[in-house]
Amino acid sequence: QVQLEESGGGLVQAGGSLRLSCAVSGRTDSNDIMGWFRQAPGKEREFVAGVKWVQGFTYYAGSVRGRFTVSRDTAKKTVYLQMNSLKPEDTAVYYCAIDPSNRIWRSEYYTDWGQGTQVTVSS
């Protein structure tokens, strides 16, 4: 079993930046995808970005491509989401999660989730 803990959320003005971190404890595998999802009030949870744990391949939703960067530090067992040029529509609770089946995009394949961290972007 894997435990995940997000940090780094907060309130920021539109156009600003935040960096989220996700500390990973427990067993990880080279095939794992570490994903970031978000859920805004009244909306479904959506994929934001993902990174292959060992190889470092990255994947992005179209809405954040070019503004967000996902990365990982395998020595520190931490995954990051650098968010730049934030918009009010980025406001949501952000979750990190692990996908051992390499499906990447769909939340139902992610087996372990963090508790989430709130990101609020004011206009």
Side-chain angles (χ1 to χ4, degrees):
Q1 190 172 357
V2 178
Q3 290 78 45
L4 306 168
E5 184 172 359
E6 306 93 338
S7 61
L11 173 64
V12 64
Q13 288 188 333
S17 299
L18 280 175
R19 188 176 82 156
L20 305 183
S21 299
C22 175
V24 182
S25 59
R27 188 195 67 81
T28 53
D29 185 83
S30 60
N31 285 327
D32 290 341
I33 296 291
M34 304 304 300
W36 286 98
F37 287 77
R38 66 187 181 188
Q39 188 166 21
K43 295 188 177 181
E44 293 187 355
R45 189 171 296 188
E46 63 174 354
F47 176 84
V48 175
V51 60
K52 190 98 172 183
W53 183 245
V54 171
Q55 294 90 340
F57 301 143
T58 58
Y59 312 90
Y60 295 96
S63 59
V64 306
R65 186 181 301 275
R67 300 188 297 124
F68 291 11
T69 302
V70 62
S71 62
R72 86 278 182 258
D73 184 328
T74 55
K76 294 183 178 179
K77 298 200 76 172
T78 303
V79 184
Y80 304 99
L81 185 67
Q82 177 67 44
M83 306 186 294
N84 298 330
S85 301
L86 282 161
K87 304 175 182 180
E89 51 263 45
D90 294 317
T91 295
V93 177
Y94 283 71
Y95 300 88
C96 67
I98 186 167
D99 167 21
S101 63
N102 202 30
R103 302 299 183 97
I104 304 172
W105 308 102
R106 296 176 62 174
S107 62
E108 57 262 42
Y109 294 109
Y110 286 76
T111 55
D112 299 276
W113 293 78
Q115 81 289 349
T117 186
Q118 176 71 47
V119 171
T120 303
V121 184
S122 63
S123 56

